[in-house]
Amino acid sequence: MQALRQIVTVPETRELRVQLPDDAAPQAEAEVIVLFKSGGAEPDAKLAAMREAMNDELFLTDLRETMEDFRHADVEETPA
């Protein structure tokens, strides 16, 4: 597998054009992944959101339900 990495600035149109190398075979499959360096929120904003979640009843209810769903999986032994 060959990897091609390009760092670009997202244009106003939010459209990107990818120029493949000359040795890319026509009609071959290629996987394109777009990774963003930041989620948009600053670390202080993320921390504030986490603090707010500690008192959010809907979030806490979802968390408790998820913990209950996986309660039995947490006590299972790892197969030898």
Side-chain angles (χ1 to χ4, degrees), residues 1-47:
M1 177 184 286
Q2 179 182 352
L4 172 67
R5 180 178 180 175
Q6 297 177 5
I7 306 295
V8 299
T9 301
V10 178
E12 290 294 324
T13 62
R14 291 180 180 81
E15 293 180 16
L16 299 176
R17 183 174 181 272
V18 178
Q19 180 67 43
L20 299 175
D22 291 338
D23 61 345
Q27 307 302 318
E29 279 191 3
E31 180 176 356
V32 178
I33 301 174
V34 178
L35 302 174
F36 295 94
K37 287 193 174 192
S38 71
E42 296 298 318
D44 290 340
K46 289 180 183 179
L47 187 55

Side-chain angles (χ1 to χ4, degrees), residues 14-75:
R14 291 180 180 81
E15 293 180 16
L16 299 176
R17 183 174 181 272
V18 178
Q19 180 67 43
L20 299 175
D22 291 338
D23 61 345
Q27 307 302 318
E29 279 191 3
E31 180 176 356
V32 178
I33 301 174
V34 178
L35 302 174
F36 295 94
K37 287 193 174 192
S38 71
E42 296 298 318
D44 290 340
K46 289 180 183 179
L47 187 55
M50 290 170 61
R51 285 190 179 120
E52 187 177 316
M54 293 188 322
N55 299 314
D56 182 329
E57 280 305 314
L58 182 58
F59 172 77
L60 294 173
T61 300
D62 288 344
L63 181 60
R64 282 190 288 273
E65 289 175 358
T66 301
M67 290 171 61
E68 179 61 25
D69 289 344
F70 287 92
R71 182 173 53 90
H72 297 293
D74 290 340
V75 296

